[in-house]
Amino acid sequence: MDPHAAALVAALSAAPDSLALGRELERIRRLIADRAVSRADALETGQLASQLYDAFLVRAAELAREGSPKLPETAGPCCLAVLGSQGRREQFLATDQDNALILGDGVDEAALAAFAARLEHQLAEAGMPPCPKGIMAANSAWRRPLGDWFAAMDAAAARPDEEAVLFISLLADLRPVWGEASLAAALAERVRRRAMESSLLTRGLAREALRFGPPTLIFGHLPSGLFGLGHGSLDLKAAAVYPLVLGVKALALEAGIAAPDTLGRLAGLVAAGCMEPELAAALQDGLARVQSLRLAAQATAWSRGQTADNRLIPARLSAETLADLDAALRAAGRLSEILKHHFSLHCLT
């Protein structure tokens, strides 16, 4: 970790309240934006940002615990885990609260419900908005005893409809940040085993990846200017990030690979002989290129006081940047074709 980031972690751990925590959050965002300006490696930036957001969440949890008098000093047998891009260590500036709470035996559930509500308030007061889909420990659906998580997981695997597939997909990215990590490890292992046992589940995840994807190429090239995209915007997350991330996740879960992050999943697929090194390298390169574009777009929006999102206007890109976008979309398209064949999803085209 570079010295600036290490200093940030130290400051986060000493923040006395949510307002101080909010000031440190702005420093985190500034560091991420500065790395975009200096064209630092986007995948490394995502990993670094996730470390800092982890430290931010840990301190928020400690402050929430201190304000919950019914909670024991040790916080009891529970684990706060992150999900989604934070769980995969692929986070930049467009952040909200994506977390879950896993409860162990003998915990006062009412006290932990109050703790989760305080945590949501602490994070929001510090500048981290609630998840618009309610994927937070403050929501009882994402705060359960371990046995209840197991039951929900088993039910989802038994009937893997779209809602169940999305539920499993989120849990597959789960990563512990505070509390009893063994609880998260037990849930992650249950996810891994159920995914290996249910071909319908991994097929459903692959089908979800195919719902997204790049625009149709014209004469083998990315459409730009007068050829399709014009002055409209392109959602980078939908066009390339989701197809790559979800596609790799589907293949990794089918193979029983436990890594919660895309790079770890690619490495695991190669090590298990389930993917050629050349393909894994091409997919990693495509992910790196699109993440670099996302990082730059979010940093530009943030510096202008706008909401950081995942959209850009291809017609305004330089030839070099457009080439990066083209390569990223081609990687996503290549993986989509592999998923169609591997999971027999040709009927979706």
Side-chain angles (χ1 to χ4, degrees):
M1 184 178 291
D2 68 46
H4 294 296
L8 262 173
V9 170
L12 285 163
S13 66
D17 53 39
S18 57
L19 295 180
L21 206 54
R23 290 192 291 270
E24 300 309 323
L25 180 59
E26 284 304 296
R27 290 179 63 198
I28 292 173
R29 290 168 172 161
R30 168 54 59 194
L31 184 148
I32 297 168
D34 287 347
R35 287 181 65 87
V37 172
S38 65
R39 298 177 67 86
D41 182 278
L43 299 183
E44 290 181 2
T45 298
Q47 292 171 343
L48 176 63
S50 295
Q51 282 184 279
L52 296 172
Y53 287 131
D54 281 357
F56 171 82
L57 181 57
V58 166
R59 185 54 184 156
E62 290 171 346
L63 291 171
R65 181 185 63 189
E66 291 167 8
S68 303
K70 289 187 178 181
L71 228 56
E73 183 64 25
T74 60
C78 67
C79 180
L80 181 65
V82 288
L83 306 160
S85 55
Q86 179 66 11
R88 296 190 306 271
R89 300 184 179 91
E90 297 167 2
Q91 192 71 281
F92 296 132
L93 289 161
T95 58
D96 56 30
Q97 299 179 34
D98 276 345
N99 54 64
L101 196 64
I102 309 163
L103 314 182
D105 295 330
V107 168
D108 184 338
E109 292 189 32
L112 280 167
F115 159 77
R118 286 189 60 82
L119 175 62
E120 179 189 1
H121 176 74
Q122 289 279 357
L123 292 170
E125 197 170 54
M128 183 72 72
C131 173
K133 296 180 180 179
I135 303 170
M136 303 175 294
N139 180 346
S140 60
W142 293 94
R143 182 188 68 253
R144 313 182 193 216
L146 183 60
D148 288 1
W149 282 111
F150 283 175
M153 157 70 59
D154 293 345
R159 199 174 77 178
D161 57 16
E162 183 177 344
E163 183 179 352
V165 167
L166 292 174
F167 176 66
I168 301 280
S169 179
L170 282 165
L171 289 184
D173 297 336
L174 178 142
R175 185 170 56 78
V177 295
W178 182 79
E180 292 289 333
S182 61
L183 293 169
L187 181 53
E189 174 60 16
R190 188 76 160 219
V191 172
R192 188 187 71 82
R193 285 195 285 113
R194 284 291 177 266
M196 285 186 70
E197 295 164 357
S198 173
S199 60
L200 287 178
L201 194 56
T202 50
R203 189 173 188 265
L205 186 54
R207 185 169 56 244
E208 185 67 17
L210 294 182
R211 288 183 55 236
F212 303 95
T216 301
L217 300 180
I218 295 179
F219 304 122
H221 296 283
L222 173 70
S224 60
L226 298 176
F227 295 108
L229 293 177
H231 296 288
S233 63
L234 178 69
D235 186 329
L236 290 169
K237 205 165 188 178
V241 176
Y242 278 148
L244 287 168
V245 165
L246 293 178
V248 170
K249 187 189 303 188
L251 293 169
L253 287 176
E254 180 189 51
I257 292 163
D261 61 296
T262 307
L263 296 188
R265 287 167 176 155
L266 284 171
L269 285 165
V270 172
C274 298
M275 182 178 286
E276 292 296 325
E278 179 275 331
L279 174 59
L283 296 178
Q284 181 170 327
D285 178 71
L287 182 63
R289 288 173 188 259
V290 73
Q291 293 289 50
S292 180
L293 292 171
R294 283 184 68 219
L295 174 58
Q298 290 184 15
T300 298
W302 183 80
S303 68
R304 294 173 178 171
Q306 301 169 347
T307 301
D309 60 21
N310 299 292
R311 306 192 75 87
L312 54 70
I313 300 175
R316 296 179 181 174
L317 300 180
S318 67
E320 179 184 1
T321 306
L322 195 59
D324 282 342
L325 176 57
D326 185 52
L329 296 179
R330 285 176 183 278
R334 183 178 177 185
L335 181 57
S336 294
E337 289 302 316
I338 290 169
L339 295 175
K340 290 174 191 175
H341 289 280
H342 185 78
F343 291 99
S344 301
L345 298 170
H346 304 85
C347 59
L348 294 182
T349 58

